[in-house]
Amino acid sequence: MDSFSNPSSGSSHQLSAQDLRNQLKNQLAIEYAQQFLETVGKKCFEKCVTKPGSSLSGNESSCISRCVDRYIEATGIISKALFSSQ
Amino acid sequence: MDLSDINSAEMQRFYSEEQQRAMVNEMVAKLTSECWDKCIKGAPGNKFSSSETDCLSNCAHRYLEMSMLIMKRFQSMR
C-alpha cells in the first residue's frame, strides 16, 4: 500500500527523481479527490437530504446520483468559462 | 537519488508547475462551489437547464471581472 516503502525501481532502495515526482503527483491527486468528495457530499446532502429519515429513500438516492453528475458537469462549465476566455 | 537532487533545476520546474496546477484546481473548485450555490436552485435534474448553464458560466466570468475591478480599486489607492 505505502508507495514510499516500495519504490518501483527494482531492488535498489534508491528513489529516482521520477519516482519522487510520481509520488508527489499521486499525493496531490489523492488530496484533490478527497477535497472534491467532501465538497460534493456537502452540496448534495444539502440539496437532497432535507429531512433525514431512518434510511435514505429511493428519491434521495437518485437525487444524490443526479446531484453528483451535475456537480461534476458544473465543474467542467466553470473551468471552460475561465480558460476558454471571454 | 541524491538529496541535493531534490532542489535541482528540473525539480524546481516540476514544483512550480504542480503548484500552478494546484492553484488552478483550487480556483475552479472555489468558483464551482460559489456559483453552484447561486445558480442551482432546487433539486438537481437529469440535465442543467440552459438558464442554469448560462448562470454558471456568467458567474465565473463576473467573478473574474470583479477581481480585476477590486485590483484596480486597490491600485488607485496607493
Side-chain angles (χ1 to χ4, degrees), chain B residues 10-25:
Chain B
E10 191 198 2
M11 287 307 281
Q12 292 294 347
R13 192 157 38 85
F14 172 78
Y15 297 142
S16 69
E17 269 172 24
E18 287 305 316
Q19 193 166 38
Q20 215 147 32
R21 210 192 304 278
M23 264 171 55
V24 166
N25 284 341

Side-chain angles (χ1 to χ4, degrees), chain B residues 22-73:
Chain B
M23 264 171 55
V24 166
N25 284 341
E26 204 181 308
M27 174 86 177
V28 170
K30 198 185 84 182
L31 270 184
T32 304
S33 167
E34 296 278 338
C35 296
W36 173 270
D37 291 345
K38 279 209 204 296
C39 296
I40 313 302
K41 304 295 178 196
N46 283 316
K47 227 172 143 282
F48 277 140
S49 68
S50 63
S51 67
E52 286 171 324
T53 308
D54 289 348
C55 179
L56 286 170
S57 155
N58 285 337
C59 175
H61 285 141
R62 294 300 77 72
Y63 193 93
L64 283 189
E65 202 180 334
M66 181 200 68
S67 308
M68 295 295 180
L69 216 66
I70 291 176
M71 232 152 58
K72 276 193 198 139
R73 183 76 191 91

